[in-house]
Amino acid sequence: MRLSPEQTSFAAEVRAFCERECGTAAQRDALTAGGTETNSPELLRRLAAQGWLGISLPESDGGLGGTFVDECLFLEETTRGLAPISAYSTGLTAAQTYLLVGSPEQRRTIVENLVAGGIEAIALSEPGAGTDLASARLRARRDGAGWVLDGQKTWTSVAHLADHLLLLARTDTSGPKHKGLTLFTVPTTTPGLAIRGIDTMEGHVVNDVFLTDVRLPADAVVGTEGAAWEHLNRGLGVERVIIAAMSVGAAQRSLDDVVAYTGEREQFGRTIGSFQAVRHRLAELATEIEHCRAFVHDVAERIDAGEEADLGTRSSMAKLKSTETAKQAALEAMQLMGGYGYAREYGMEAQVRRALAPPIYGGTNEIQREIISRGLRAPAKERT
């Protein structure tokens, strides 16, 4: 697809904002407590003041009423600009489920919080239920008109910064494991909720969440009791497109930085970017990134048009290819930059660290390949 003049201008504005507000390592350190955090609530508030957060969310729920293509442009450019706001993408993913099955009050609460720069989190994985979410065991039992929850969640992104958790719990153990699962909205200030950080290569991003006798009202249920599996499918499909858009931005940043470096670094009396072997490797990367960008925009355009019959397959393709390309771009850039690629001063080592997690979260890329392969199967009546 071709971007409209307005979309091109919007992308340029976001890029300029990032260059101005978080374009240097010193600025990013100031926004993230010296790099110990990976998200900056302060920068989210500045972006909110620009009127850019929640750009794709419905006006009727407090959003800005733009397109999902607009959202992908925002995600790509902020990631390219190294803006420490990955928490926004987590909240945006949570919002998809609230918008699909949440009550009017739940939808407005979540959307308005995101638009204002607030943070939302999703608590799905458990120690024994990562990729296999249907094996979730955290229990929610009725207690009068409300619910009591006990158990543990893990790998919960930005729970320590979030205002609410969209949490998956088991409310019935009598049927198949895909049944009896229910979604709840849980304020992070709820008594009995404890959040502990997990140290990772990127610092404090993910958390263990412990629930001990956590009491929730009846209206904390999101959607229909026992139907969480069906409710989550569409939101997880959109999540993969969100991750893909961010990965395109990350790949582009790696390419931008290595092109600048190879254009300045001299060896054997000439810039290393003038050697054919280097030029061709950069050309390959640039081509891969453009193909990823075009595909992500195509899937986003289909979402805007309501053409979601094959969203599961296409979103998995977008996530698989874009995250692998971002990892390839960072590693290739590090190699071409030699020792400076490995040095913290030039930032490429951080790009490599950031590129390693996306092929794992949001559904591992091994699972994405399985989803794609299922989408390739012809219906039974068409087989010969």
Side-chain angles (χ1 to χ4, degrees), residues 7 53-59 63-71 304:
Q7 289 172 322
L53 299 185
I55 192 168
S56 66
L57 302 179
E59 285 185 288
L64 302 183
T67 68
F68 203 72
V69 173
D70 297 334
E71 194 75 72
D304 287 328

Side-chain angles (χ1 to χ4, degrees), residues 141-188:
R141 56 182 174 83
R142 287 189 178 277
D143 183 48
W147 296 87
V148 178
L149 279 64
D150 288 282
Q152 179 186 352
K153 292 294 180 181
T154 193
W155 303 115
T156 308
S157 296
V158 299
H160 61 299
L161 300 174
D163 297 295
H164 308 86
L165 304 177
L166 178 63
L167 184 140
L168 179 69
R170 185 162 296 282
T171 51
D172 185 1
T173 59
S174 62
K177 67 178 186 177
H178 290 81
K179 303 296 182 181
L181 293 168
T182 302
L183 291 169
F184 293 85
T185 183
V186 185
T188 52

Side-chain angles (χ1 to χ4, degrees), residues 124 126 129 132-140 153 167-173 176-184 221-232:
L124 303 180
E126 297 181 9
D132 182 16
L133 286 178
S135 294
R137 299 174 63 184
L138 185 146
R139 191 65 193 274
K153 292 294 180 181
L167 184 140
L168 179 69
R170 185 162 296 282
T171 51
D172 185 1
T173 59
K177 67 178 186 177
H178 290 81
K179 303 296 182 181
L181 293 168
T182 302
L183 291 169
F184 293 85
V221 172
V222 179
T224 302
E225 179 185 340
W229 189 258
E230 293 80 3
H231 294 341
L232 284 171

Side-chain angles (χ1 to χ4, degrees), residues 163-358:
D163 297 295
H164 308 86
L165 304 177
L166 178 63
L167 184 140
L168 179 69
R170 185 162 296 282
T171 51
D172 185 1
T173 59
S174 62
K177 67 178 186 177
H178 290 81
K179 303 296 182 181
L181 293 168
T182 302
L183 291 169
F184 293 85
T185 183
V186 185
T188 52
T189 55
T190 304
L193 186 73
I195 299 171
R196 299 177 192 169
I198 300 172
D199 288 334
T200 71
M201 293 176 69
E202 289 188 73
H204 193 180
V205 184
V206 292
N207 306 269
D208 283 317
V209 179
F210 300 91
L211 295 91
T212 305
D213 198 34
V214 169
R215 296 179 178 273
L216 299 175
D219 62 4
V221 172
V222 179
T224 302
E225 179 185 340
W229 189 258
E230 293 80 3
H231 294 341
L232 284 171
N233 279 335
R234 194 266 179 184
L236 294 178
V238 176
E239 178 190 31
R240 295 192 285 266
V241 185
I242 290 170
I243 295 170
M246 295 171 68
S247 295
V248 170
Q252 187 65 58
R253 178 57 184 244
S254 294
L255 180 62
D256 291 343
D257 288 353
V258 73
V259 166
Y261 177 85
T262 58
E264 297 175 355
R265 173 68 169 168
E266 292 189 1
Q267 289 288 279
F268 306 105
R270 55 195 283 200
T271 62
I272 61 175
S274 67
F275 290 97
Q276 185 183 71
V278 173
R279 295 201 314 270
H280 286 190
R281 289 165 80 174
L282 296 177
E284 290 283 354
L285 280 181
T287 302
E288 291 289 318
I289 293 168
E290 283 301 326
H291 277 77
C292 288
R293 179 179 288 114
F295 189 70
V296 169
H297 288 177
D298 177 75
V299 179
E301 192 174 33
R302 289 169 185 263
I303 292 173
D304 287 328
E307 299 172 5
E308 298 189 12
D310 60 352
L311 176 61
T313 300
R314 287 182 171 273
S315 65
S316 289
M317 289 176 172
K319 196 262 186 185
L320 170 64
K321 184 60 177 176
S322 297
T323 57
E324 295 291 348
T325 296
K327 182 168 68 173
Q328 175 194 1
L331 289 170
E332 188 75 88
M334 174 178 277
Q335 182 69 30
L336 290 173
M337 291 173 69
Y340 291 108
Y342 196 65
R344 298 190 67 178
E345 176 185 357
Y346 282 75
M348 193 53 65
E349 58 83 28
Q351 282 288 90
V352 170
R353 284 188 283 113
R354 282 190 290 266
L356 297 178

